[in-house]
Amino acid sequence: MTDQIKIGFAPTRRNIFSADAAIEYADKTRAKLDELKVNYVDIKDANADGLLYDDDGMHKIAAKFQAAHIDGLFLANENFGTEFECARLAKQFNVPVLLWGPKDEAPAADGSRLRDTQCGLFAIGKVLRRFNVPFTYLVNVDIDDPEFTRGVEDFIKVCNIVKTFKQTRILQVGPRPFDFWSTMVNEGELLEKFNISLSPIPLPELVDEIHDLQDKKDPDIAKTVAYLREIADVQIADKDLNMVAALKVALKRKMVQYGCNAGAIQCWTALQNEIGILPYASESLLQDEGMPVTCETDIHGVISELLVEAATMGEHRAIFADVNCRHPENPNGELLQHLGVFPFSTAKNKPILPKSHFVFDYPGSVGFEAQDGHYTLCRFDGDHGEYSLLLGNAETNPGPYEQGTYVWLQFANLNRFETKLVYGPYIHHIAAVRDDVVPVLYEACKYLNVKPDFYDPIEEDVQAYLRGDITSIIKK
C-alpha cells in the first residue's frame, strides 16, 4: 500500500563533519526504504554525495521533487545536517515533513565524533519552526530499530490522509433534507480553507441517469444484481433490486463524471417518490469500492469517512452510523446504527436486503451486524469558522438485535462521548473503522489546519505512541 504515496528523500549533511560517514548512513537509509518498499524520489543526481548541504543542490532537489509531485518530504539527518537548507527546501512544498536522524555511534578511542546527528536534529527543528514549516519528528533511533519502521509507515499514512483531504471533491446530490439543519455546511469556507470542493447536482439529474442506464440495459446493472444475490439474502422484488443496482451504477458514473472521490445524497423523501427505493444498499456497495456516499447530504460526514479510511491506507472500509441510544444494561455501551451505509465487507453475518424497514416503508435498506473488534471513531465538523476532528476508540460489546446495519460499542466513559456530541460542533453521525489509527489522524491534523479533539483524555498516550514510548493507545 505504501506505493500510493510518493516521498521526496533528502538526506542532509554539514561540511565540518565526516562526509564519508554521512554518505554511508544515507545509503543505509536508502537500503531500508527499499526494504520497506517505500516509493521515494532520490537525490543521488543532485551532487557527487547525493546529499543536501548547499543552495545549488537544494535548487536542483526542489525542482526534481516538484516535477515528481511528491506527497511528503523525508529529511534524513545523516550527520549534523545543514538546517537552513532543510528549511529552505521544506518551505517550497505544502506537504508533510518527516525529520529523523540515525543514532550516533560511540565516540572514537581518541574522543572524536563523526556525525553529531542528534545535536543537528535540534537545530533543524528550530529552523523549521522559524520558517513556519510543520513537521513530524521520528525519534533518534537506529535504522534497524522497529520504531524506525513504524515511524516511516505511520508517516506514509499521515501523507495519505493529507493528500486525500486536500484532493477531495464531493458529489452533492440534492440539498440537505429540510429537517436536517445539523448537516448544513459552508461550501465556500470548505474550498477557501481546505481546497475541498462540492459538485452539486439536482435529484432529477441522477434520476435521469438511472432511467437512461435502465433503458440501455447497461451491463453494469446486471453485474451488480448478480453480485448482490451472491453476497446477500435478497428479500426484495426483482424490479426493486434492479433499481438498487441502477442507483449504485448511476451514482458512480456521476462521481466519475464530476471528478469526485465521494458523495452525499438527499436520501429521503423526494428520492423515494421518484424511484421507489431507499439508497442505502447502493451506498453500501459504493462504500466497499472506496467511493463513500453518505445520507442526509452530510458533507462533513463523508469527509470523516475519507479521512479515517485514508489512515488505514484503504486497508479497512469505514462504517458510517447514527449514534442512536444507550445500551439497555451496559452503562458505557452505545448503539451505532443505520439503514445501511455500512460496507458489505464489514458484516459479521450474511447481509439481508429486507422488504422494508421500521423507519421507512420502502425497500433498499440493508441489515447486518458489523464485525467485532477495536474501532477508531472519527468526525470532522465545524461551525463559526473553526473546524476540528473528534477522535477516540471503542470496542464492540454484545447487545440486542437491531434492524438495519448496527454495532454495539463500549466506551471508556460514555458520558464523555455523549457530552462531546451534544456540545459540538459535532452531530450524531460518525465514521468508524476497525483499526487503531487515532495517532496518525492526530498527527495529520497539524497539516490540515484542523484541531484534534479527543472525547477521552488520551492525548498524552497518543503523544507517547508517536514518541515510541508505547506501541498502541488501545488498552488491550
Side-chain angles (χ1 to χ4, degrees):
M1 290 294 185
T2 56
D3 61 352
Q4 299 172 21
I5 294 299
K6 189 181 295 183
I7 302 297
F9 175 59
T12 181
R13 71 170 176 87
R14 177 167 286 191
N15 290 331
I16 63 172
F17 292 90
S18 170
D20 290 340
I23 293 168
E24 175 189 354
Y25 275 86
D27 287 339
K28 286 181 178 180
T29 309
R30 291 182 175 99
K32 190 66 176 181
L33 295 179
D34 291 337
E35 179 188 322
L36 298 175
K37 295 181 170 56
V38 175
N39 180 14
Y40 67 97
V41 180
D42 207 347
I43 62 168
K44 279 194 169 184
D45 54 349
N47 51 49
D49 292 351
L51 294 160
L52 168 64
Y53 55 85
D54 62 9
D55 274 352
D56 183 57
M58 187 275 296
H59 291 304
K60 292 177 183 177
I61 293 163
K64 185 172 187 178
F65 288 171
Q66 286 164 352
H69 303 291
I70 61 170
D71 303 308
L73 174 64
F74 181 14
L75 298 173
N77 194 38
E78 309 295 4
N79 64 24
F80 190 94
T82 306
E83 67 263 31
F84 57 92
E85 297 297 0
C86 289
R88 285 172 176 168
L89 178 65
K91 187 67 175 178
Q92 299 183 56
F93 299 92
N94 186 25
V95 297
V97 176
L98 180 65
L99 175 62
W100 166 83
K103 182 181 174 183
D104 293 291
E105 55 274 279
D110 63 0
S112 62
R113 299 187 306 275
L114 292 176
R115 295 186 298 116
D116 271 20
T117 292
Q118 186 198 45
C119 190
L121 289 168
F122 302 142
I124 295 172
K126 176 63 174 180
V127 180
L128 288 172
R129 283 180 55 87
R130 290 287 193 198
F131 276 67
N132 293 310
V133 174
F135 64 95
T136 294
Y137 178 56
L138 172 52
V139 292
N140 180 216
V141 294
D142 288 324
I143 199 163
D144 291 322
D145 192 302
E147 190 53 40
F148 176 83
T149 297
R150 191 181 75 169
V152 169
E153 291 175 345
D154 281 353
F155 178 71
I156 290 171
K157 292 176 182 177
V158 169
C159 292
N160 197 41
I161 295 167
V162 174
K163 180 180 181 179
T164 299
F165 187 74
K166 291 182 177 180
Q167 295 184 356
T168 285
R169 184 184 296 176
I170 300 167
L171 182 74
Q172 179 183 332
V173 185
R176 62 174 174 82
F178 170 78
D179 294 342
F180 271 70
W181 287 47
S182 55
T183 60
M184 67 172 61
V185 300
N186 187 325
E187 178 182 354
E189 202 166 70
L190 287 174
L191 182 60
E192 293 160 4
K193 282 180 173 285
F194 307 119
N195 197 42
I196 293 174
S197 59
L198 307 186
S199 298
I201 65 170
L203 276 173
E205 182 175 339
L206 177 67
V207 173
D208 289 347
E209 179 76 12
I210 291 169
H211 293 323
D212 185 57
L213 290 167
Q214 290 177 321
D215 290 344
K216 293 176 179 176
K217 293 183 170 51
D218 190 285
D220 283 345
I221 296 177
K223 289 178 184 176
T224 305
V225 167
Y227 179 68
L228 282 168
R229 290 195 183 281
E230 177 185 335
I231 65 169
D233 176 9
V234 177
Q235 301 176 3
I236 61 177
D238 288 351
K239 67 177 182 62
D240 295 325
L241 183 62
N242 182 277
M243 184 59 77
V244 167
L247 173 57
K248 180 264 180 181
V249 176
L251 279 169
K252 185 172 181 178
R253 296 281 174 89
K254 284 296 173 184
M255 280 193 274
V256 171
Q257 177 184 340
Y258 287 97
C260 299
N261 59 337
I265 187 169
Q266 185 198 85
C267 54
W268 54 273
T269 55
L271 187 67
Q272 287 72 58
N273 295 335
E274 294 290 336
I275 63 174
I277 66 164
L278 298 163
Y280 304 112
S282 307
E283 291 175 77
S284 294
L285 289 167
L286 289 164
Q287 307 280 89
D288 263 330
E289 294 185 13
M291 301 179 77
V293 177
T294 51
C295 43
E296 283 109 26
T297 324
D298 186 358
I299 302 296
H300 290 169
V302 80
I303 294 171
S304 307
E305 274 201 83
L306 290 169
L307 292 177
V308 80
E309 286 193 4
T312 77
M313 299 300 292
E315 184 178 346
H316 298 285
R317 295 300 175 202
I319 63 174
F320 186 74
D322 285 0
V323 182
N324 287 98
C325 60
R326 287 175 173 253
H327 194 285
E329 298 172 354
N330 183 342
N332 288 311
E334 178 71 27
L335 174 66
L336 271 63
Q337 186 266 356
H338 213 280
L339 305 187
V341 209
F342 286 24
F344 284 99
S345 62
T346 63
K348 182 180 180 179
N349 50 291
K350 187 172 185 177
I352 63 170
L353 270 60
K355 294 179 180 178
S356 64
H357 188 273
F358 72 89
V359 178
F360 295 108
D361 190 18
Y362 288 97
S365 62
V366 184
F368 62 78
E369 183 179 4
Q371 296 165 2
D372 292 334
H374 296 276
Y375 281 79
T376 292
L377 278 65
C378 170
R379 174 73 195 188
F380 169 84
D381 222 322
D383 51 39
H384 298 86
E386 296 182 358
Y387 291 81
S388 55
L389 194 66
L390 184 66
L391 294 169
N393 299 108
E395 60 181 278
T396 50
N397 180 65
Y401 166 77
E402 279 286 330
Q403 292 190 44
T405 48
Y406 73 97
V407 64
W408 288 95
L409 293 181
Q410 177 169 311
F411 291 80
N413 184 318
L414 181 58
N415 290 344
R416 285 196 298 247
F417 178 65
E418 178 185 276
T419 302
K420 276 285 186 183
L421 294 186
V422 172
Y423 279 122
Y426 315 107
I427 65 169
H428 61 291
H429 292 169
I430 202 155
V433 70
R434 202 162 62 100
D435 201 353
D436 179 7
V437 291
V438 167
V440 291
L441 287 164
Y442 172 84
E443 186 66 16
C445 284
K446 69 172 61 170
Y447 302 106
L448 303 180
N449 194 27
V450 172
K451 177 186 174 184
D453 189 13
F454 299 104
Y455 54 78
D456 287 326
I458 59 171
E459 186 165 15
E460 288 189 9
D461 287 343
V462 170
Q463 292 174 347
Y465 169 91
L466 293 168
R467 290 195 306 268
D469 296 339
I470 58 176
T471 59
S472 172
I473 63 164
I474 290 181
K475 306 299 188 290
K476 303 297 185 183

